């Protein structure tokens, strides 16, 4: 499958750097012919200890069998973190004679591989080992830098290979993680539309439809995921690729990432700083999606109060809030605090303009919520069917930090999300989680 490029009714030209997507049973066998088709001379194979066993050895044998030169790096450690140390290890093992990097893995290996490919100006192939996240077709890498979870510009994969014989045998938690990452798109699309209404941010119906169509295929086939049904696994993998493509088309992460992703980022940052429990990204996103749906239900019941909102913004003490962030997140809070100097999200004049827009368009905001978000009863049943967490115990999250996590999500990026809306309305302290 080849990703198309086209002009859109939104007025933009949509393009994806991905040249080919090869998926299905036995797809990994096609790797050598792709290397030869693009005249690559020598490959740099990047994996970790787990993915080497799952598919790395197979890749090396295929290259040897087809007389394709290579060097390899298997990053050591039971758990590989997406940070400066891992990137440094990969770079130090890189052979400058290589002209293509082949990542063998999923989230972390793919993110590292894309950075190394970007730095070395190499072409990049990813051999996916799990349908666990939506970064395969994106041009960014989710990394920890100086303790802060950041999205770095990197190299998008030129070729994506997803062998369903490998993907369906991924650890069950990773299969569920992929579905969880897909279910998060309910929130991301809803928030994208709301943000466009309130801030004038760019929005494209066609890109949103691409994501929603992929999401529907996942939910239609979700019942087969736990039994490793190939159709269900393919639906999740193809959906994750579609979401990566949507982000490439939009030029931002908006189509696939909203407040639910920021919950996950906050927990990741706390894990790095304090050693607290961290689950797989997609599992955290699933639980955060469930939380966000509950908060949107609360939003639907309120009547915006302009004076209340203005009074809350006027009384907001940024210095005290920054102290709270430091206590909650440690060192990574400093980067978020520095961001606010540029963003000015708490600027009172800007807030006044936003609250007027919100109140004047409240009926439309409620309409978006009703149209884009599923019934909580439906999602509860779907989560039960696929063994995704609907409570903090199953998610492995401390109940006592849920409220502060939500409040911190508004400071992760300069992106208008649910927590920003609640702050603007002056109700963020009243939200129940």
């Amino acid at each position: 499958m080849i990703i198309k490029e086209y002009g859109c009714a939104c007025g933009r030209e949509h393009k994806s750097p991905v040249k080919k997507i090869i998926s299905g049973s036995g797809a990994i066998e096609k790797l050598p012919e792709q290397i030869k088709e693009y005249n690559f001379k020598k490959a740099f194979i990047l994996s970790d200890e787990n993915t080497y066993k799952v598919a790395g050895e197979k890749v090396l044998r295929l290259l040897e069998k087809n007389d394709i030169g290579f060097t390899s790096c298997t990053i050591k450690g039971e758990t590989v973190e997406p940070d400066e140390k891992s990137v440094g290890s990969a770079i130090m093992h890189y052979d400058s004679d290589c002209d293509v990097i082949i990542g063998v893995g999923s989230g972390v290996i793919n993110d590292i591989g894309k950075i190394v490919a970007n730095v070395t100006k190499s072409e990049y192939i990813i051999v996916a080992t799990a349908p666990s996240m939506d970064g395969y077709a994106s041009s960014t890498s989710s990394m920890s830098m100086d303790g802060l979870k950041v999205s770095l510009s990197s190299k998008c994969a030129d070729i994506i290979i997803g062998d369903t014989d490998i993907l369906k045998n991924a650890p069950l938690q990773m299969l569920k993680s992929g579905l969880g990452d897909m279910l998060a798109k309910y929130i991301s699309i809803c928030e994208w539309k709301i943000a466009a209404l309130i801030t004038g941010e760019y929005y494209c119906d066609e890109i949103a439809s691409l994501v929603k169509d992929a999401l529907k295929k996942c939910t239609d086939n979700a019942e087969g995921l736990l039994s490793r049904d190939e159709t269900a696994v393919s639906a999740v993998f193809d959906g994750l690729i579609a979401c990566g493509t949507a982000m490439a088309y939009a030029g931002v992460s908006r189509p696939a990432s909203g407040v639910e992703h920021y919950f996950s980022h906050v927990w990741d940052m706390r894990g790095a700083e304090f050693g607290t429990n961290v689950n797989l990204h997609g599992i955290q996103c699933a639980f955060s999606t469930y939380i966000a749906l509950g908060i949107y239900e609360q939003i639907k019941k309120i009547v915006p109060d302009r004076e209340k909102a203005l009074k809350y913004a006027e009384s907001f003490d940024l210095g005290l809030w920054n102290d709270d962030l430091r206590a909650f997140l440690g060192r990574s809070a400093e980067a978020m605090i520095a961001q606010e100097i540029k963003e000015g999200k708490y600027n009172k004049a800007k807030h006044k303009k936003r609250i007027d827009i919100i109140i004047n368009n409240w009926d439309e905001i409620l309409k978006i919520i009703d149209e884009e978000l599923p019934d909580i009863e439906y999602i509860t049943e779907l989560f039960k069917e696929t063994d995704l967490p609907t409570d903090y115990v199953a998610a492995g999250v401390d109940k006592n930090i849920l409220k502060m996590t939500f409040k911190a999500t508004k400071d992760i990026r300069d992106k208008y999300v649910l927590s920003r809306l609640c702050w603007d309305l002056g109700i963020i302290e009243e939200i129940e989680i």
Side-chain angles (χ1 to χ4, degrees), residues 2 4 29 76 78 80 142 150 163 168 182 219 221 236 244 249 254 261 318 343 355-356 411 417:
I2 300 176
K4 61 182 179 178
E29 301 288 344
K76 305 300 181 184
E78 184 176 342
V80 176
S142 182
V150 296
D163 190 326
K168 70 182 181 182
M182 285 302 302
T219 55
N221 293 282
V236 172
Y249 284 170
R254 262 299 189 187
H261 272 60
L318 182 57
E343 295 167 8
I355 195 62
D356 286 341
D411 292 84
V417 295

Side-chain angles (χ1 to χ4, degrees), residues 132-184:
S132 54
M133 50 86 224
D134 60 13
Y136 287 122
S138 77
S139 300
T140 60
S141 292
S142 182
M143 305 294 291
S144 293
M145 186 171 70
D146 296 329
L148 177 65
K149 200 72 175 182
V150 296
S151 183
L152 298 179
S153 179
S154 58
K155 163 80 175 177
C156 182
D158 297 282
I159 300 172
I160 301 170
I161 297 177
D163 190 326
T164 50
D165 297 332
I166 295 172
L167 297 175
K168 70 182 181 182
N169 289 312
L172 207 54
Q173 279 292 94
M174 299 190 81
L175 298 182
K176 293 192 292 183
S177 177
L179 178 61
D181 205 341
M182 285 302 302
L183 294 174

Side-chain angles (χ1 to χ4, degrees), residues 232-279:
V233 172
S234 293
V236 172
F237 181 70
D238 292 345
L240 294 167
I241 299 300
C243 291
T245 302
M247 288 188 279
Y249 284 170
V252 290
S253 63
R254 262 299 189 187
S257 169
V259 73
E260 77 298 324
H261 272 60
Y262 292 174
F263 270 89
S264 180
H265 291 341
V266 168
W267 294 332
D268 287 347
M269 286 188 284
R270 281 181 55 82
E273 181 73 13
F274 305 119
T276 53
N277 184 62
V278 176
N279 212 324

Side-chain angles (χ1 to χ4, degrees), residues 50-63:
N50 293 319
T51 63
Y52 179 79
K53 297 173 185 176
V54 170
E57 286 181 297
K58 175 77 169 178
V59 168
L60 298 189
R61 289 198 301 270
L62 283 169
L63 299 193

